[in-house]
């Protein structure tokens, strides 16, 4: 056995003296590694929870947003190295996803209920349901599915009742609802202004003749024994006098209803969406709506395909689903045949109102052909 020399003895002592420091380094390394693994585990769980909620692949979701960083920091605390888990998450997170995917976190308990900042106020059988379903694809829009009818039928229940119907939203998101009868309700403009004079209003309009026939078709499906479209259209068929008391006709006098709204809101605060273009160019009309709401143009051509059977566009992926989605079977019904003379007289009736509407809105819809 070799006899320890002074040099080796000094080396042992040096090694022994370094042991506590080396152990401290090892502990810090272990804590750093543990913190990083915990952060990545939380990120993975949240990503898959989010993917399950939205129907989007987990690979498309990242941790670059402030919401993710906040959640990770709350879950893991400070790293032993002195760097927060925010720094660790920043190192680990892909940066492909914009922070503006907010509302998908609603099911995780985030956000608060707010009164709507935007309303689809009309018109019936114009394409309001299609517009709402398309808009709900946008991550910064949260909307009520059913029509609340607050400003026409339920106003006496109060704003808190109304607010409670709304979905939870995060900062930067827009709360919306749609009730097409608001546009023709005389009291609605004043009531909405009393809630907020900054409310953005959207009106989906359609050729009033086609809209009236579609309205009648819907009623006919529920009440097969109602009189013919022709008999309901005229007060007197011989003179050609149109019965404007019939709601199917009255709704299409857009200029009259718009005049009521302009007493309370400037025309710049109202967006007029073409029901026809919502079918022929959904991405184009949705682009205008997103601009009007101050949102990034996320909904584009890639979200739509045209369904030949129904005769209108459908979503490739609906909100919260990975499957294609078309509007229900009640949409796209075949219209009954209407005598050409009845259609001609209706066009003559609506023409001056249409021209005034074009002037009021600054948009020419070409409904005269």
């Amino acid at each position: 056995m070799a006899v320890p020399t002074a040099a080796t003895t000094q080396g042992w002592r040096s090694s022994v003296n370094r042991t506590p420091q080396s152990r401290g380094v090892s502990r810090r390394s272990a804590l750093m590694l543990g913190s990083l693994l915990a952060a990545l585990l939380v990120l993975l769980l949240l990503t898959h929870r989010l993917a399950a909620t939205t129907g989007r692949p987990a690979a498309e979701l990242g941790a670059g947003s402030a919401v993710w960083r906040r959640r990770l920091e709350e879950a893991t605390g400070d790293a032993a190295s002195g760097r927060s888990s925010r720094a660790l998450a920043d190192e680990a997170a892909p940066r492909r996803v914009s922070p503006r995917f907010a509302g998908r976190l609603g099911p995780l308990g985030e956000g608060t209920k707010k009164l709507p900042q935007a309303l689809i106020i009309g018109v019936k059988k114009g394409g309001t349901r299609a517009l709402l379903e398309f808009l709900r694809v946008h991550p910064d829009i949260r909307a009520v599915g059913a029509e609340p009818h607050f400003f026409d039928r339920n106003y006496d229940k109060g704003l808190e009742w109304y607010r409670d119907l709304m979905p939870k939203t995060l900062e930067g998101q827009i709360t919306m609802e749609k009730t097409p009868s608001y546009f023709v309700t005389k009291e609605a403009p004043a009531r909405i202004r009393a809630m907020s004079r900054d409310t953005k209003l959207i009106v989906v309009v359609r050729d009033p003749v086609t809209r009236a026939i579609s309205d009648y078709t819907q009623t006919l499906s529920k009440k097969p024994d109602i009189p013919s479209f022709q008999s309901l259209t005229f007060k007197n068929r011989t003179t050609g006098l149109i019965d404007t008391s019939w709601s199917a006709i009255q709704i299409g006098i857009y200029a009259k209803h718009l005049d009521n709204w302009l007493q309370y809101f400037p025309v710049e605060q109202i967006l007029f969406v073409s029901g026809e273009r919502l079918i022929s160019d959904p991405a184009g009309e949705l682009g205008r709506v997103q601009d009007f709401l101050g949102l990034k143009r996320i909904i584009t051509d890639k979200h739509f395909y045209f369904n030949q059977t129904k005769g209108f566009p459908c979503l490739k992926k609906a909100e919260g689903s990975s499957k294609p989605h078309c509007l229900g079977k009640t949409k796209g019904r075949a219209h009954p045949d209407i005598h050409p003379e009845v259609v001609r007289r209706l066009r003559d009736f609506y023409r001056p109102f249409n021209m005034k509407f074009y002037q009021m809105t600054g948009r020419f819809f070409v409904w005269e052909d």
Side-chain angles (χ1 to χ4, degrees), residues 231-246:
S231 62
L232 291 170
T233 297
F234 299 103
K235 283 186 177 180
N236 187 313
R237 176 69 190 276
T238 303
T239 62
L241 185 63
I242 303 295
D243 188 355
T244 57
S245 66
W246 184 29

Side-chain angles (χ1 to χ4, degrees), residues 235-309:
K235 283 186 177 180
N236 187 313
R237 176 69 190 276
T238 303
T239 62
L241 185 63
I242 303 295
D243 188 355
T244 57
S245 66
W246 184 29
S247 64
I249 300 296
Q250 198 260 352
I251 290 172
I253 309 175
Y254 302 141
K256 172 187 173 183
H257 305 301
L258 179 57
D259 188 59
N260 183 38
W261 285 89
L262 295 182
Q263 308 303 312
Y264 300 90
F265 293 94
V267 69
E268 296 79 15
Q269 209 165 315
I270 308 174
L271 180 70
F272 301 93
V273 175
S274 167
E276 286 83 10
R277 286 187 61 82
L278 205 55
I279 295 174
S280 64
D281 181 21
E285 284 301 283
L286 266 293
R288 294 179 62 247
V289 177
Q290 291 171 94
D291 292 346
F292 176 70
L293 296 174
L295 299 175
K296 182 179 179 181
R297 286 197 177 196
I298 290 178
I299 306 171
T300 61
D301 281 321
K302 68 181 181 181
H303 288 90
F304 302 99
Y305 73 95
F306 192 83
N307 186 301
Q308 296 290 345
T309 303

Side-chain angles (χ1 to χ4, degrees), residues 343-360:
V343 174
R344 186 190 66 78
R345 292 196 181 190
L346 270 178
R347 294 208 176 280
D348 290 343
F349 167 77
Y350 279 121
R351 186 170 292 109
F353 296 109
N354 291 344
M355 291 302 179
K356 184 179 179 182
F357 184 68
Y358 301 160
Q359 292 175 345
M360 296 169 77

Side-chain angles (χ1 to χ4, degrees), residues 116-134:
Q117 298 93 46
L119 298 171
I120 300 175
I121 60 173
V123 299
K124 179 184 179 184
K125 306 310 295 179
T128 59
R129 172 54 61 183
L131 178 61
L132 184 71
E133 292 300 312
F134 295 163

Side-chain angles (χ1 to χ4, degrees), residues 208-242:
V209 176
T210 307
R211 197 222 66 82
I213 297 172
S214 180
D215 198 335
Y216 172 79
T217 303
Q218 182 181 54
T219 305
L220 184 65
S221 68
K222 299 175 182 177
K223 301 177 180 178
D225 57 343
I226 61 172
S228 68
F229 180 85
Q230 176 178 301
S231 62
L232 291 170
T233 297
F234 299 103
K235 283 186 177 180
N236 187 313
R237 176 69 190 276
T238 303
T239 62
L241 185 63
I242 303 295

Side-chain angles (χ1 to χ4, degrees), residues 163-183:
R163 187 200 308 270
D164 194 54
L165 298 178
M166 300 299 126
K168 289 182 178 181
T169 54
L170 297 172
E171 184 178 354
Q173 286 188 299
I174 293 176
T175 303
M176 292 187 67
E177 68 111 324
K178 76 105 176 171
T179 303
S181 54
Y182 290 163
F183 189 63

